[in-house]
Amino acid sequence: MTINSSIRFRQAETTDAPVIRDIVRAAYGKWVPVIGREPLPMRADYEKAVAEHPFELAVADGGIVGMIETMLADDHLWIENVCVAPQAQGRGIGRLLLERAEHKALESGRLELRLLTNGAFEANVLLYKRHGYTIDREEPFMGGMTVYMSKKLTR
């Protein structure tokens, strides 16, 4: 894996919503044949989401190549969505976005990150495990299995 040092980060603005939607649709599109439907992030209203939740964007070569959507809860930071544009995958951008979420959690006094993913997205589950997340529980959902994961942080 080559980590591109030209990656920059910035907060999303409402005008970024269409590009975010396009990146999410491209990144999650590979899972449609696996689960037989569009994953829920492909159906989200990103104009509404960007207005309501913080999104941090990874930018390279003048364009958005990845994003992470988070929400601060009382005792943890929730990762609602993280994805990297297909053409930018394999460059360490996902890892950098997850690291930024860790810093945000710690800055906010939260010592835990939580997320969920579809159990059929085996590559995603493995990615999160490689980055220190553990499976907390699994629940049936829409003919598949939702995997709830978390990562404990230390100051």
Side-chain angles (χ1 to χ4, degrees):
M1 167 178 45
T2 303
I3 296 177
N4 189 328
S5 62
S6 68
I7 303 298
R8 300 290 175 255
F9 298 93
R10 69 172 175 83
Q11 293 299 309
E13 301 170 2
T14 53
T15 55
D16 295 315
V19 176
I20 291 169
R21 181 194 60 240
D22 292 346
I23 289 171
V24 169
R25 292 193 61 77
Y28 282 87
K30 67 182 177 186
W31 299 116
V32 173
V34 175
I35 64 172
R37 63 172 172 79
E38 287 187 343
L40 295 180
M42 291 180 75
R43 298 189 246 164
D45 178 345
Y46 286 98
E47 283 78 12
K48 183 176 189 246
V50 170
E52 294 177 355
H53 309 138
F55 280 72
E56 191 159 5
L57 306 178
V59 179
D61 303 320
I64 299 168
V65 294
M67 66 88 188
I68 190 163
E69 175 185 6
T70 59
M71 293 178 249
L72 201 56
D74 289 340
D75 62 348
H76 67 278
L77 182 74
W78 177 258
I79 298 173
E80 178 68 14
N81 193 357
V82 58
C83 71
V84 176
Q87 72 275 12
Q89 292 176 4
R91 294 168 47 191
I93 297 167
R95 181 184 60 78
L96 293 172
L97 288 165
L98 290 172
E99 286 176 1
R100 294 187 72 83
E102 288 182 28
H103 291 295
K104 182 176 182 176
L106 290 171
E107 287 173 359
S108 302
R110 307 312 191 272
L111 296 178
E112 184 176 22
L113 294 135
R114 296 182 191 168
L115 58 83
L116 64 80
T117 190
N118 190 311
F121 304 170
E122 293 176 17
N124 292 6
V125 173
L126 291 172
L127 171 81
Y128 295 130
K129 283 183 173 183
R130 278 196 310 273
H131 293 289
Y133 289 77
T134 58
I135 295 174
D136 298 321
R137 70 184 190 282
E138 298 180 81
E139 294 179 359
F141 180 74
M142 295 182 75
M145 194 64 67
T146 298
V147 179
Y148 293 83
M149 303 182 79
S150 65
K151 180 176 182 176
K152 304 284 189 213
L153 303 173
T154 57
R155 290 190 195 276

